Amino acid sequence: MENNLNAVELKYRKWIIVLSIVIPVAVAILFGVKLKDFGYDVKPLSFLPPIYATINGITAVLLVTAVWAVKNGKLKVHENLMKCAIGCSVAFLVMYVAYHMTADSTPFGGEGIIKYVYFFILLTHILLSIIIIPFVLITYVRALAERFDKHRKLARITYPMWLYVAVTGVIVYLMISPYYVH
């Protein structure tokens, strides 16, 4: 495998592995940490969920626009849009963790079939948000390494997964938002 990697890909390989493990583990741990349990009198950051849901929506728009740009030969636009999409995903993650460290989880209050729909969307959203990390990082590094044939091939898998995560993030927010305690 290493023979197929160029210097740039080798340079980032360990970081991709580390981040692909550390990010989901840190989020899982921090999701369970409540600052109030450590004596901090922190008010819930209840203003964050609509902001990070909007960021998910912006990410989806950036991804669709970036694909349009690359298909129309606008490579620099594509590159900049993808950097913005990665930045939005990082911003989402920071806000999501901050909110959950200051607020209790909100139980879904819907009943019947909608409850199953919600949990299916939530579960697939969570699983793919973990799986997408190495895909995004490897796809990005392949572009940095100017391995555009390999970049394009992996992007065909990365794009729909990342788009699904972004869109379902908005859907999950819209479905749970009526049950937030203010």
Side-chain angles (χ1 to χ4, degrees):
M1 173 110 185
E2 288 195 23
N3 294 339
N4 293 334
L5 301 177
N6 71 17
V8 174
E9 290 171 301
L10 283 171
K11 175 182 171 185
Y12 289 106
R13 185 178 192 185
K14 288 180 183 139
W15 280 109
I16 291 169
I17 293 167
V18 168
L19 291 172
S20 296
I21 295 168
V22 169
I23 291 171
V25 169
V27 169
I29 290 169
L30 292 173
F31 191 85
V33 170
K34 301 297 180 219
L35 293 178
K36 66 182 178 181
D37 295 342
F38 294 93
Y40 294 101
D41 186 24
V42 180
K43 294 186 186 223
L45 301 173
S46 56
F47 63 92
L48 284 179
I51 295 170
Y52 62 67
T54 301
I55 288 174
N56 262 332
I58 291 168
T59 301
V61 171
L62 289 168
L63 292 171
V64 170
T65 308
V67 168
W68 171 87
V70 78
K71 287 185 177 189
N72 286 281
K74 300 175 185 303
L75 301 182
K76 192 63 179 172
V77 171
H78 170 76
E79 177 185 344
N80 290 333
L81 289 168
M82 293 311 299
K83 287 177 182 177
C84 287
I86 290 170
C88 282
S89 291
V90 170
F92 161 83
L93 192 58
V94 169
M95 285 186 249
Y96 178 82
V97 169
Y99 171 75
H100 283 286
M101 288 179 72
T102 62
D104 293 325
S105 291
T106 302
F108 183 72
E111 296 179 6
I113 191 74
I114 196 70
K115 186 174 187 173
Y116 295 106
V117 170
Y118 170 78
F119 283 110
F120 174 80
I121 294 170
L122 178 62
L123 182 63
T124 57
H125 171 80
I126 291 168
L127 290 174
L128 284 176
S129 71
I130 295 165
I131 293 168
I132 196 64
I133 296 167
F135 279 87
V136 168
L137 295 173
I138 294 168
T139 304
Y140 183 71
V141 168
R142 284 182 177 174
L144 285 178
E146 298 181 0
R147 303 281 301 263
F148 297 115
D149 56 329
K150 292 185 175 288
H151 168 80
R152 204 170 14 259
K153 187 175 180 180
L154 188 58
R156 287 187 175 114
I157 299 166
T158 304
Y159 169 71
M161 276 197 299
W162 195 359
L163 185 61
Y164 181 86
V165 169
V167 169
T168 56
V170 176
I171 293 169
V172 165
Y173 167 75
L174 292 173
M175 292 180 81
I176 194 74
S177 64
Y179 307 106
Y180 280 123
V181 177
H182 297 283

